[in-house]
Amino acid sequence: MSRILKHRLFWPVVVLVALLALNLFFTDGFFKIEMKEGHLYGSLIDIFRFGAPLILVSLGMTLVIATSGIDLSVGSVVAIAGALACLRISGLSDQNSVSGVLGAVGLALVLSVVLGAWNGFLVAGIGIQPIIATLILMVAGRGLAQLITDGQITTVNSSPYKLIGGGYWLTLPFGIIVVAVVLALTAFLTRRLALGLLIESVGGNAEASRLAGISARGVLMTVYAFCGLCAGIAGLMISSNVSSADGNNAGLWIELDAILAVVIGGTPLSGGRFSLSGTVLGALIIQTLTTTIYSIGVPPETTLLFKALVVTIVCLIQSPAFRTKVFHRRRRPVTASPAPEEKVRVTA
């Protein structure tokens, strides 16, 4: 039992179960999953479907934070990817053309990787602090997304594009399948190959890793590029779900939710280690919390305050130091009794 209580995923699981159980009192049939027209529907399915973009962004953010970095530009990359894809599709003579949609999607993802690699170049190549380097793209990228859409909401009417964020495949929402594939590939590359150890090594001590023969710059470039790719896929999901691109509001503040998900999942901001499963749990906790807020009818003007309060409580519960101070009494140190003096025989 003590091992279970000390496991890093124990408290995130407890919080997630508690939030899910709370919805039983406000939503009838919350755990009910039914099949309609060959598709699975239900509140639990909706949590996974609407939480898919956040899970993707959080996965990329996890690897960045594992290198002792941060990426504040993922929200802007989300907006740019959706804006560019919708702009290309809206210019097609046939918006239902699969090849045309694939070309637009590919172009958006390539640009996302380039933007992520640009962040990596600023951090690893020039030596700018990650929070400053990504803050530049966070501000400039939002403006770039609005330039792409000309400050307007670009709408599309494309069934193939709709599939990415709002369609179904094999009875499941297509977004859930995409997340499962990305998660499996990330876990394989970082846990079955040496990439994960290299990331943790660079995050623990970049200079020592360089002296040991590890290309710290290459690792950082790869990690930031991957983070950009995850944000680009999330942007396609968000824009395709509503069949439109809003350069101003798409992906707004998703970077903060992603950082919270990573921290709740047990990955320290100081870097050196990471947990993909914990990140997924953290993202699901945030999405379940959002669903709970709507279920219990929290007023819109206090939604953000309520969310911040709950997240604060979750972080405190996870803190071993906080739990020790609140739930356990401090043990008084036991003072050792002085050893009796030994008699020394003096021989003449």
Side-chain angles (χ1 to χ4, degrees):
M1 178 60 77
S2 62
R3 288 183 178 181
I4 295 176
L5 292 176
K6 292 180 180 179
H7 196 278
R8 65 177 184 273
L9 298 182
F10 174 77
W11 291 106
V13 170
V14 169
V15 172
L16 180 59
V17 171
L19 286 174
L20 292 173
L22 181 62
N23 283 273
L24 285 175
F25 298 98
F26 298 96
T27 305
D28 295 333
F30 181 79
F31 288 98
K32 182 180 180 181
I33 298 177
E34 55 185 355
M35 182 81 70
K36 293 182 180 179
E37 299 178 357
H39 301 155
L40 290 176
Y41 290 92
S43 299
L44 295 178
I45 300 296
D46 289 339
I47 289 176
F48 280 96
R49 182 163 69 94
F50 292 122
L54 178 58
I55 295 176
L56 283 174
V57 176
S58 301
L59 287 176
M61 188 71 73
T62 300
L63 300 188
V64 170
I65 290 179
T67 62
S68 263
I70 202 78
D71 192 347
L72 300 179
S73 66
V74 288
S76 297
V77 176
V78 165
I80 292 173
L84 183 58
C86 287
L87 179 66
R88 292 285 297 178
I89 294 174
S90 64
L92 296 175
S93 58
D94 181 13
Q95 295 189 9
N96 290 319
S97 171
V98 176
S99 59
V101 171
L102 289 177
V105 169
L107 182 62
L109 294 181
V110 168
L111 180 58
S112 301
V113 173
V114 170
L115 293 175
W118 169 254
N119 285 332
F121 170 73
L122 293 180
V123 174
I126 300 181
I128 301 177
Q129 290 293 328
I131 192 171
I132 301 300
T134 57
L135 182 62
I136 295 173
L137 184 57
M138 175 185 177
V139 177
R142 188 66 62 175
L144 178 58
Q146 295 188 37
L147 284 176
I148 293 174
T149 60
D150 199 20
Q152 306 293 326
I153 297 179
T154 304
T155 59
V156 295
N157 186 15
S158 174
S159 299
Y161 188 64
K162 182 72 174 179
L163 172 67
I164 300 176
Y168 284 78
W169 190 53
L170 299 177
T171 72
L172 289 173
F174 189 73
I176 296 178
I177 298 175
V178 172
V179 168
V181 172
V182 174
L183 177 61
L185 289 176
T186 306
F188 175 78
L189 293 175
T190 56
R191 294 310 185 191
R192 296 296 180 180
L193 302 181
L195 181 60
L197 294 177
L198 297 179
I199 292 173
E200 292 179 341
S201 175
V202 172
N205 193 322
E207 183 63 20
S209 300
R210 185 186 67 81
L211 295 176
I214 299 174
S215 176
R217 291 184 178 181
V219 172
L220 289 174
M221 291 280 290
T222 302
V223 165
Y224 279 94
F226 175 75
C227 188
L229 175 63
C230 290
I233 299 174
L236 296 178
M237 284 185 179
I238 293 174
S239 62
S240 66
N241 188 38
V242 294
S243 297
S244 64
D246 186 355
N248 188 37
N249 295 314
L252 191 62
W253 310 126
I254 196 174
E255 58 271 5
L256 301 184
D257 283 343
I259 295 172
L260 283 175
V262 174
V263 172
I264 291 174
T267 299
L269 291 176
S270 58
R273 60 184 178 88
F274 63 93
S275 172
L276 297 178
S277 56
T279 294
V280 174
L281 277 176
L284 290 177
I285 287 174
I286 293 177
Q287 183 58 47
T288 306
L289 175 59
T290 303
T291 303
T292 305
I293 289 173
Y294 293 134
S295 299
I296 64 180
V298 175
E301 61 271 14
T302 60
T303 296
L304 294 178
L305 180 61
F306 180 81
K307 185 176 181 181
L309 179 62
V310 174
V311 169
T312 302
I313 295 174
V314 171
C315 292
L316 288 176
I317 291 176
Q318 283 188 271
S319 172
F322 177 80
R323 293 199 305 269
T324 301
K325 291 180 179 180
V326 175
F327 299 107
H328 300 282
R329 295 180 179 178
R330 293 183 179 180
R331 296 181 179 179
R332 296 180 178 179
V334 179
T335 57
S337 58
E341 297 180 357
E342 296 182 358
K343 295 182 179 180
V344 180
R345 291 185 179 180
V346 180
T347 57

